[in-house]
Structure formats: structure tokens, C-alpha cells
Amino acid sequence: MPTLPLAFDPGGAFDPFLLLATALVLDAYLGEMRLLFKLVPHPVVAIGNVIGWFDRRLNRPERGATDRRVRGILVVVVLTGAAIGIGSMIQAAAAWMPYGWALELFVLVTLVAQRSLYDHVAAVARGLETEGLSGGRRAVAMIVGRDPKTLDEHGVSRAAIESCAENFSDGIVAPVFWYVILGLPGMLAYKTINTMDSMIGHKTDRYRAFGWAAARLDDLVNLIPARLAGLILAVGTAAAAGKPGRAMMTMLRDARKHRSPNAGWPEAAMAGGLDLALAGPRRYPGEVVDAPWIGSGRARADATDIRRALRALLAGCVLQAGVVLLLWFSMGQ
């Protein structure tokens, strides 16, 4: 069995699985480290700034759709390649420098979002409980793209629960998955792809062509993580007095109803486990989406249901950390 001193060797050597497990624990404790990132830009913010620069320079409305699509593909190739290169350099430096594992540990902590997701979703429940609908709308506007003014209490609650499930996949399971598969280069590339999708992967006149490659690549890299996230959440709903069996059945039945090829898996697992109906018709700025319901339970969700979703989220994070530790143990044999 590997020992702690060998996992964090002063000479720079480290065990990546134990490093990842440590990062998950530290992220759960430290959260967003806002004081630090007031002084230096957060890696994801820096990535977003670069994407924004390319968007302003290359995605001009007077260009034709084909030209903008080609330019969008170029941006995806350049930024994904740069992320892999930077991740490789950091990983090499971490292995070479004395106590270099601390550098990689720091980057890992900044690229997983367990505590951040929990805090933002919990803020919606707290807003509804203490300030009513106005407080809930104000908090949910921080985590969803739909127009909060059109949401009643149940709509706010469903939006928070849906965001909790979807971002468990995008912000927690997927970065960990790609670190396990390809190390820090894979994790940093994933965060870059996911950030590109969130910024330019929209089906609007401005981004339909330019963001096409970003959206398609994001669908691809989330294909396996989204299904893993659904499975983990299905089990995790047991911690919220939910029903894991129903979560699994709902996921298999309803996941493909979502307009995203991936988001439906964790959302359907959460809906089934908590006996809710999620998704459904919704309004975004300038767009009304007549989407089908996912799950056959109650659509009238409330703050109590958000708290139950948060318990499922916590259980899911613990389960994932347990899997990482199991990998560490088994790889050290």
C-alpha cells in the first residue's frame, strides 16, 4: 500500500491519485479562494478573457457563416492545444521541482468546483427561505441563463436543482475524469473546452457558426462524464431520502428527452431520485424553449427540495472522492 511520504516526496515525485483526492478535500474546505483571486486572475477567468479576445477579433457580424465557422474551428484548435501544452509544462515542472507537487495541487484545487457549486445552489434555497421569491430570483440569476423574472417559486427551485445536477457533471465529475485519463493536460483542456462552450457555443445568430466547433467538442468530451455523473447522483440521492432505483430508471427513460445529449443524464437521475419533474418549458432572454418534462414526480419544487438536492450533491462528491482513493490504493499494489 502506498504511504503518504512517498505520495508527497520532497524531491517532486507524487502519486497523482492521492494528489487528486487531496485537491478534492481542499476544494471542499477552501472553496473559491476569493481573496487570492482578487490579486491574481482565476485560471478559468483568464481562459475566458482569451476566448473573449478571439471572439471580438474573429467573430464579426459582417463575415459570412462559413468564414466564421472556420475561424471558430481555428479558435478551438489553438486554445485546446495551448491548454494541453500549458498543462504539460505545469505537470513536468511539478515533477521536476522540489515540492513541485504543490504547484499541481494548487492548479487542481482551482479547477474543481465542489464547494463553489454547493454555495451557489445553497444561496438560492437561503434566498427563498429568508427573502421569498425576490431573494430566490436574485440568487438563481447567478447560476442559470434563463430570465429569473419569469420564474415563480417552483421555477426558481427547479432551476437551482437542474443547475446543481448539470454542474455536478460539468464542474466536478468531468474535470476529475479527464485528470484520471490524461493528467493535468487533459483536465486543463477540458476546462478550456467547457468554457468555450459556455461563452460561444450558443445557437444564436452571433454564435451559431462561430461556436459550432466549441459546442460539438464539448458534447464529445462530456459524453462519458455525464453518464458517470448521472450514475453517481442516482446513488447519491439515497442520502436525501431519495430512491436510487427510481433515479436509475428515470435516467434511462428520460435522459434523452433533454435537448443536450449530456445534461439530461444527471438531471434525470436527480429528478427520479427526488421524485420531481425537472426541465419542461422555460424562457431565456429572447427565446422560449418548449422542452419536455424529465421525471414523473412533482413540478412544484421548493426550497426543501433544493436542500435535498444539495444532500445528494454532497453524497456524490464523497462517492467520487472514494473512487479516486480506491484507484490510488489499487494502483499502488
Side-chain angles (χ1 to χ4, degrees):
M1 177 178 177
T3 61
L4 190 61
L6 290 177
F8 297 104
D9 186 86
F14 55 86
D15 185 293
F17 292 115
L18 185 56
L19 198 68
L20 178 58
T22 304
L24 293 174
V25 172
L26 287 175
D27 171 68
Y29 178 73
L30 296 173
E32 293 182 296
M33 297 184 284
R34 293 179 182 175
L35 290 178
L36 172 63
F37 291 118
K38 284 183 178 179
L39 303 175
V40 295
H42 190 284
V44 175
V45 173
I47 292 168
N49 290 338
V50 175
I51 296 167
W53 184 85
F54 275 108
D55 181 22
R56 292 189 297 273
R57 299 279 297 196
L58 301 181
N59 187 26
R60 294 176 179 173
E62 64 269 18
R63 302 187 191 278
T66 301
D67 187 13
R68 291 161 77 183
R69 177 171 292 196
V70 170
R71 288 166 181 266
I73 293 171
L74 179 63
V75 169
V76 168
V77 171
V78 168
L79 292 187
T80 303
I84 292 171
I86 293 170
S88 299
M89 287 189 291
I90 294 173
Q91 192 166 265
W96 171 75
M97 295 167 51
Y99 295 100
W101 53 264
L103 172 63
E104 184 161 342
L105 178 63
F106 172 75
V107 177
L108 286 173
V109 172
T110 66
L111 295 182
V112 290
Q114 301 167 118
R115 177 67 179 272
S116 173
L117 176 58
Y118 183 92
D119 288 346
H120 280 92
V121 175
V124 181
R126 188 165 55 250
L128 287 171
E129 291 164 347
T130 60
E131 302 178 55
L133 182 56
S134 62
R137 284 175 171 171
R138 186 165 55 252
V140 85
M142 302 296 291
I143 57 174
V144 300
R146 69 197 70 172
D147 184 0
K149 294 178 182 178
T150 66
L151 300 175
D152 59 10
E153 176 189 356
H154 310 303
V156 167
S157 299
R158 289 196 305 273
I161 295 167
E162 291 161 15
S163 181
C164 180
E166 183 175 351
N167 284 292
F168 176 69
S169 176
D170 290 355
I172 300 173
V173 174
V176 169
F177 173 83
W178 285 110
Y179 182 80
V180 169
I181 299 299
L182 295 175
L184 190 60
M187 189 184 208
L188 193 58
Y190 172 77
K191 294 298 290 187
T192 300
I193 294 165
N194 190 242
T195 305
M196 284 191 288
D197 178 64
S198 67
M199 291 181 65
I200 65 174
H202 308 297
K203 294 180 180 179
T204 61
D205 290 342
R206 177 174 176 81
Y207 292 115
R208 186 172 286 106
F210 186 72
W212 173 84
R216 298 292 77 75
L217 185 56
D218 184 73
D219 288 343
L220 179 63
V221 297
N222 278 299
L223 200 65
I224 297 174
R227 286 145 182 82
L228 289 175
L231 178 61
I232 294 170
L233 276 183
V235 177
T237 57
K243 298 179 179 179
R246 179 182 291 174
M248 289 290 295
M249 289 189 293
T250 302
M251 181 176 68
L252 294 173
R253 185 192 69 204
D254 290 352
R256 293 177 181 84
K257 292 180 179 179
H258 202 285
R259 64 176 181 169
S260 163
N262 298 315
W265 294 85
E267 285 190 26
M270 187 75 87
L274 302 185
D275 196 22
L276 296 172
L278 300 177
R282 64 190 78 181
R283 182 185 298 275
Y284 295 90
E287 180 185 13
V288 177
V289 177
D290 188 19
W293 291 98
I294 292 177
S296 53
R298 294 177 292 109
R300 298 174 67 84
D302 56 25
T304 301
D305 293 308
I306 300 177
R307 297 290 184 188
R308 295 171 66 215
L310 287 169
R311 290 197 292 274
L313 170 65
L314 284 174
C317 291
V318 171
L319 284 169
Q320 178 175 249
V323 170
V324 172
L325 286 173
L326 183 62
L327 288 170
W328 167 57
F329 180 84
S330 61
M331 295 295 287
Q333 297 304 305

